């Protein structure tokens, strides 16, 4: 420990190192349940690329593991500390270095908060689409590490589609530049996409070149009520099959709607079994919403209520953003699943999840990015009740098994971390796992970067 601190202090200012165990404990884990976290030896908060390089060179020299962190809003344990590690928090590297309206790019450091970037580019008439529900807190570096999604994915895609290039500090302290800042470019292997979603296991992102889009018109939304989830899922299929491209297509089940109302008095219809939210940011959103409303009615909607203006549309979007936080009030703890299935199997996913909730006697609320099949079943439980905790974990695993059986994936946007690494091997298969481990070995031969995660 003394050698570690002495070497770190040689290249970092005193305020960039935290050793007080009461403080370092607050950096030990992210927001995931059932994920073990160790005790870090020290927390480093660098402000420059050179300081990050110094941390990694020190870690390599002393063979000390390093756990990279952003805002710790993750839901898979990917940012959890291991015993004796250096927690490398990038939150102080929070500068927006460049916004180019001509090239339609932003160049940022990893600690920039998603919402801060979104508002900054909006001033230039531009738009950074990826918008996780935690966008007011989560950082771009964390979004890149877990390949985050958001509410707009149905039209605009996920984080990976907006990362053009990266600067990455490797395990031995070397600086690697990947990708480009041009609109096109196919030189070499796509190392940029390799780092996106790697959860800090291959290198430390210290700069990102992000693609931007022109700012779209303000979106207009509608809410459609259904007597069952099957009808809402049928409406989703009808909407997508008809060729519509909504900017948002989200689903909240009755448990979620009631939780949001209890927390924020949003006035959502509590008697509905499934609430479908659709929005368009097209030049004539009212006409698009009318067409989608008709499709919802044909699928069995009991009520279709278009928002009167952009403010009411924003209220509906905020209600959806509150879903996970609201479900946390149902019980003392939650496990938030992240299973993505083909849109055509969305109804079977929700039906199967309801059966699992009944089987285990648990409250499982579901909110979903319905337009891309990404469901978030939220298992609500009391961690002080050993039997309920056991049932929560078993139901969580059964939901993942259901997703795989329906042709889906164990994670659409939250990552693997600690929580799902046993399931990753089941999804990938033996050959793929072997190749993944070979890639990890090439980038991190000593196994110092985020050990115990992903594999």
């Amino acid at each position: 420990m003394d050698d570690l601190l002495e070497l770190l202090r040689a290249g970092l200012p005193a305020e960039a190192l935290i050793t007080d165990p009461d403080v370092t404990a607050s950096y030990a884990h992210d927001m995931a349940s059932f994920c073990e976290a160790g005790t870090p030896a020290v927390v480093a908060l660098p402000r420059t690329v050179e300081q990050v390089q110094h941390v990694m060179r020190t870690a390599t020299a002393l063979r000390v593991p390093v756990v990279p962190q952003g805002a710790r809003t993750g839901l898979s344990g990917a940012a959890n500390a291991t015993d004796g590690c250096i927690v490398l928090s990038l939150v102080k590297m929070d500068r927006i270095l460049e916004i180019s309206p001509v090239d339609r790019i932003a160049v940022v450091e990893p600690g920039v908060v998603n919402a801060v970037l979104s508002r900054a580019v909006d001033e230039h008439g531009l738009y950074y689409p990826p918008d996780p529900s935690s966008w007011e807190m989560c950082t771009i570096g964390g979004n890149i590490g877990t390949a985050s999604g958001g509410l707009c994915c149905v039209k605009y895609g996920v984080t990976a589609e907006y990362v053009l290039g990266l600067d990455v500090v490797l395990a031995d302290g070397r600086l690697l530049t990947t990708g480009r800042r041009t609109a096109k470019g196919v030189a070499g292997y796509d190392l940029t996409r390799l780092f996106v979603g790697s959860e800090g296991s291959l290198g430390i992102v210290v700069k990102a070149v992000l693609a931007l889009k022109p700012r779209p018109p303000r979106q207009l939304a509608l809410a459609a009520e259904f007597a069952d989830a099957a009808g809402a899922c049928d409406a989703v299929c009808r909407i997508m099959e008809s060729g519509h491209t909504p900017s948002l297509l989200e689903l909240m089940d009755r448990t979620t709607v009631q939780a949001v109302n209890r927390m924020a008095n949003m006035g959502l219809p509590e008697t509905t079994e499934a609430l479908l939210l659709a929005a368009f940011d097209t030049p004539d959103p009212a006409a698009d919403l009318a067409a989608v409303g008709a499709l919802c009615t044909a699928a069995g909607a009991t009520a279709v209520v278009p928002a009167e203006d952009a403010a009411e549309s924003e209220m509906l979007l905020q209600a959806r953003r509150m879903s996970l936080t609201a479900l946390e009030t149902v019980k003392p703890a939650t496990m938030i699943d992240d299973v993505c299935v083909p849109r055509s199997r969305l109804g079977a996913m929700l039906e199967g999840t309801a059966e699992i909730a009944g089987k285990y006697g648990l409250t499982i609320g579901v909110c979903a990015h319905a337009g891309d099949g990404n469901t978030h079943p939220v298992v609500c439980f009391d961690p002080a009740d050993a039997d309920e905790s056991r049932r929560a974990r078993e139901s969580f695993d059964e939901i993942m098994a259901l997703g795989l059986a329906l042709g889906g994936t164990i994670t659409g946007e939250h990552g693997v971390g600690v929580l799902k690494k046993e399931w990753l091997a089941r999804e990938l298969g033996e050959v793929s796992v072997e190749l993944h481990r070979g890639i990890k070995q090439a980038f991190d031969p000593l196994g110092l970067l985020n050990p115990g995660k992903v594999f």
Side-chain angles (χ1 to χ4, degrees), residues 41-57:
V42 60
V43 175
L45 295 107
R47 290 183 179 272
T48 68
V49 173
E50 292 75 19
Q51 289 174 3
V52 175
Q53 290 180 286
H54 176 71
V55 170
M56 293 313 306
R57 288 174 184 138

Side-chain angles (χ1 to χ4, degrees), residues 46-47 90-97 108-113 116 139 206:
R47 290 183 179 272
L90 285 305
V91 295
K92 300 294 186 183
M93 297 180 67
D94 60 356
R95 295 179 300 162
I96 298 173
L97 302 172
V108 305
E109 292 182 327
V112 173
V113 171
V116 171
T139 62
V206 291

Side-chain angles (χ1 to χ4, degrees), residues 352-443:
T353 299
E355 291 174 357
I356 291 168
K359 174 182 175 180
Y360 288 96
L362 295 167
T363 297
I364 302 180
V366 180
C367 51
H369 306 307
D372 53 26
N374 196 173
T375 68
H376 293 310
V378 180
V379 182
C380 306
F381 68 100
D382 183 355
D385 185 328
D387 182 67
E388 190 164 276
S389 294
R390 174 191 58 79
R391 286 183 280 124
R393 184 63 205 237
E394 290 179 4
S395 70
F396 185 87
D397 285 348
E398 200 159 317
I399 289 169
M400 283 192 285
L402 172 64
L404 290 180
L406 293 173
T409 174
I410 59 169
T411 176
E413 58 188 7
H414 291 172
V416 175
V418 176
L419 191 62
K420 296 187 174 185
K421 65 179 185 177
E422 294 178 7
W423 281 90
L424 180 65
R426 302 190 197 189
E427 177 173 335
L428 296 182
E430 185 177 343
V431 174
S432 183
V433 167
E434 181 181 344
L435 289 172
H436 275 70
R437 287 178 174 157
I439 292 169
K440 167 71 170 173
Q441 176 69 19
F443 281 90

Side-chain angles (χ1 to χ4, degrees), residues 245-269:
T245 308
S247 56
L248 177 147
L249 190 55
E250 299 285 311
L251 184 147
M252 302 162 65
D253 72 355
R254 183 174 185 174
T255 298
T256 305
V257 167
Q258 292 178 345
V260 169
N261 278 344
R262 282 195 303 271
M263 186 179 78
N265 297 315
M266 297 294 286
L268 300 175

Side-chain angles (χ1 to χ4, degrees), residues 43-355:
V43 175
L45 295 107
R47 290 183 179 272
T48 68
V49 173
E50 292 75 19
Q51 289 174 3
V52 175
Q53 290 180 286
H54 176 71
V55 170
M56 293 313 306
R57 288 174 184 138
T58 299
T60 295
L62 298 180
R63 304 299 194 262
V64 177
V66 176
V67 175
Q69 286 185 350
R72 303 192 309 281
T73 58
L75 294 166
S76 68
N80 285 14
T82 56
D83 285 334
C85 76
I86 301 169
V87 164
L88 182 57
S89 173
L90 285 305
V91 295
K92 300 294 186 183
M93 297 180 67
D94 60 356
R95 295 179 300 162
I96 298 173
L97 302 172
E98 179 186 354
I99 296 172
S100 172
V102 174
D103 294 326
R104 293 184 182 173
I105 61 169
V107 183
V108 305
E109 292 182 327
V112 173
V113 171
N114 186 295
V116 171
L117 174 63
S118 295
R119 293 178 183 127
V121 302
D122 182 72
E123 294 178 3
H124 295 267
L126 297 169
Y127 178 44
Y128 179 67
D131 61 341
S133 293
S134 58
W135 78 312
E136 294 281 6
M137 301 177 288
C138 64
T139 62
I140 296 299
N143 294 168
I144 291 170
T146 58
S148 298
L151 274 63
C152 69
C153 294
V154 62
K155 179 174 183 177
Y156 292 104
V158 297
T159 296
E161 295 166 64
Y162 294 88
V163 182
L164 298 177
L166 296 171
D167 278 6
V168 181
V169 174
L170 300 176
D172 59 8
R174 288 179 297 164
L175 182 64
L176 168 70
T177 296
T178 76
R180 64 194 195 280
R181 54 180 289 145
T182 55
K184 295 167 65 177
V186 294
Y189 295 140
D190 192 349
L191 296 183
T192 303
R193 290 293 287 263
L194 187 60
F195 282 102
V196 179
S198 66
E199 302 183 33
S201 65
L202 300 179
I204 312 296
V205 172
V206 291
K207 187 171 75 175
V209 181
L210 305 174
L212 304 174
K213 289 186 175 293
R215 182 178 58 211
R218 292 289 296 273
Q219 63 183 353
L220 199 62
L222 67 73
E225 302 176 41
F226 291 85
D228 53 46
C233 294
D234 180 31
V236 170
C237 293
R238 290 172 185 247
I239 292 167
M240 302 309 293
E241 185 178 23
S242 297
H244 294 288
T245 308
S247 56
L248 177 147
L249 190 55
E250 299 285 311
L251 184 147
M252 302 162 65
D253 72 355
R254 183 174 185 174
T255 298
T256 305
V257 167
Q258 292 178 345
V260 169
N261 278 344
R262 282 195 303 271
M263 186 179 78
N265 297 315
M266 297 294 286
L268 300 175
E270 295 203 2
T271 56
T272 184
E273 290 299 322
L275 185 69
L276 191 66
L277 306 178
F280 286 87
D281 57 7
T282 53
D284 187 9
D288 292 310
L289 287 180
V292 164
L295 292 172
C296 289
T297 300
T302 56
V304 177
V305 183
E308 294 185 0
D309 52 31
E312 190 172 340
S313 296
E314 181 64 20
M315 184 273 292
L316 290 173
L317 187 149
Q318 286 302 111
R320 170 60 185 87
R321 286 193 187 279
M322 291 178 185
S323 294
L324 298 182
T325 303
L327 286 167
E328 291 173 356
T329 67
V330 174
K331 286 274 189 171
T334 58
M335 291 190 73
I336 303 171
D337 222 322
D338 173 37
V339 174
C340 190
V341 297
R343 297 186 192 98
S344 58
R345 308 308 302 276
L346 185 61
M349 184 68 205
L350 268 64
E351 180 182 353
T353 299
E355 291 174 357

